[in-house]
Amino acid sequence: METDFVLFPLRMIPGMDDFNPEKDEFLKEFYIPSYVFLPELPTSHPSFVPSCPVVVFINTQSGGQLGSALLVTYCNLLNKLQVFNLKEEAPDKVLHKLYGNLEKLKSNGDHLAAEILNRLRLIVAGGDGTASWLLGVVCDLKLARPPPIITVPLGTGNNIPFSFGWGMRNPGIDCQSVNWHIIMRMRVRKEGSCDPILPLELPHAMHAFQRVSESDSLNMEGHLTFRGGFWNYFSIGMDAQVSYAFHHKRKKYPEKFKNQNIACLAKVKIMKKTGHWEKLHVPNSIRSIVCLNLPSFSGGLNPWGTPDKKKQRDRDLTPPFVDDGLLEVVGFKDGWHGLVLLAPGGHGTRLAQARRIQFKFRKGAGDHAYMRIDGEPWKQPLPQDKDEVVVEISHLGQVSIIATDDCIAKSVYDVSTQPDEESTSGDSDNSYSEERKNFGAADAFRY
């Protein structure tokens, strides 16, 4: 069991400008000395070892003025070097430098550095996009002992912290949040309406890269591949369109935002069993598809719900678990369809549960589609002539997230969530379960 975590109260403590951890019994449990962050400083040897050393990342652009106020609060409660403004410092560079310093100190016999490596926790305050950014960074670093993370709601969309029960004090369990990998391949056109995506249009979680498999049919000059990851959901269609419109303040031009028919936009394939792709039937009435990992969407609604025993048996469906290696694929017909989520037991159109999903966009389906990852929308150009745009989502890894005892996100390994024999689908794959259980424990990040 991990050490219980307590979020610092949002209050200012007089006299904290020159913080001395020896004078505060509570705050010293979270304190990290300055020499850990600044190797040029002389090494100190404090007698006290903090039980829960933390590093804090805050998106000061989230939550109106609250983000900036929260930054000041944490800087007063902790060593200022423990608190980082994401507007000024990227988390990957911060963590890479920090872990490098800790490993070097540990190799020189520093006992405190070794304990901090074992006990470190991360706090990220922001919206879903900010949380997804930090979770992805930790996953990409492939640490031998990834630090548990707590997500503090501070944005417009707070589905990730809501799923893990945040807002409640004194959480005491760790859940594993699964990261899904998304790849998008497209031809870059030099002219016409299908322009390449501007770098500034992409969410933090998506970026271009050049390493494409030699056997890939799109491995040729003039093509780009984008990769990224998400923790909660990926969606295509009207919900992403509305989000994009809001994101770019386009309420003045409603005529430009028509609902999109997903079945006309793309061919959709899913993989339920390893190595076997199958076509997913998408009804013509579906205007939006959400690929969901956590049971929270659009401010705490659960589009998948919990299938009853008959549907679990007849359609081979299961309740949503955050670490079962399955995405819940849900469809919506229109904006009114989303209102059913407000009713007890309400849910969207359950299309499938899958380990992988692929969208292949057709020629002439339209000029663009609207997509969204963890609250971050973009406008995706669609193919012209014989070109293709392919979006593929697969399981990537997982990190530890600190959650409350009564959070809505459930683990497949939690005994209390196990279905009885009558509701079990019978589709077991022990080798894959073991693979998922160990995924993310990579040992490649070394100094």
Side-chain angles (χ1 to χ4, degrees), residues 361-434:
F361 293 89
R362 305 164 173 163
K363 163 194 172 184
D367 290 336
H368 55 266
Y370 294 92
M371 302 182 185
R372 185 162 60 143
I373 289 179
D374 288 346
E376 302 289 330
W378 78 93
K379 184 177 178 180
Q380 171 60 42
L382 293 184
Q384 305 292 321
D385 301 325
K386 296 181 180 180
D387 301 334
E388 284 186 343
V389 172
V390 180
V391 175
E392 186 171 314
I393 300 168
S394 59
H395 175 253
L396 176 62
Q398 60 190 35
V399 298
S400 295
I401 290 187
I402 299 174
T404 60
D405 292 311
D406 57 352
C407 70
I408 62 173
K410 302 301 180 184
S411 168
V412 71
Y413 302 108
D414 185 350
V415 176
S416 65
T417 63
Q418 295 299 320
D420 55 33
E421 293 183 1
E422 184 179 353
S423 64
T424 300
S425 66
D427 180 21
S428 63
D429 186 345
N430 293 332
S431 62
Y432 187 76
S433 297
E434 186 63 26

Side-chain angles (χ1 to χ4, degrees), residues 337-358:
H337 191 189
L339 293 178
V340 302
L341 300 180
L342 300 176
H347 58 84
T349 301
R350 299 185 183 112
L351 298 176
Q353 284 177 304
R355 293 175 176 171
R356 301 178 74 171
I357 186 167
Q358 182 188 91

Side-chain angles (χ1 to χ4, degrees), residues 292 302-307 318-320 328 330 341 345-348 350:
L292 195 67
N302 185 355
W304 185 257
T306 301
T318 69
E328 282 69 48
V330 185
L341 300 180
H347 58 84
R350 299 185 183 112

Side-chain angles (χ1 to χ4, degrees), residues 152-211:
V152 179
L154 192 65
T156 305
N158 297 310
N159 292 291
I160 293 178
F162 179 81
S163 295
F164 292 98
W166 195 240
M168 305 284 289
R169 294 190 178 185
N170 301 322
I173 62 170
D174 288 345
C175 288
Q176 294 289 324
S177 179
V178 174
N179 176 220
W180 291 85
H181 185 225
I182 178 170
I183 292 180
M184 179 170 65
R185 293 163 293 185
M186 62 177 291
R187 178 188 292 273
V188 178
R189 295 179 61 85
K190 296 182 179 179
E191 57 184 17
S193 59
C194 188
D195 298 324
I197 310 172
L198 295 174
L200 294 179
E201 286 274 323
L202 286 171
H204 283 302
M206 294 284 288
H207 57 272
F209 76 119
Q210 304 299 325
R211 296 186 297 276

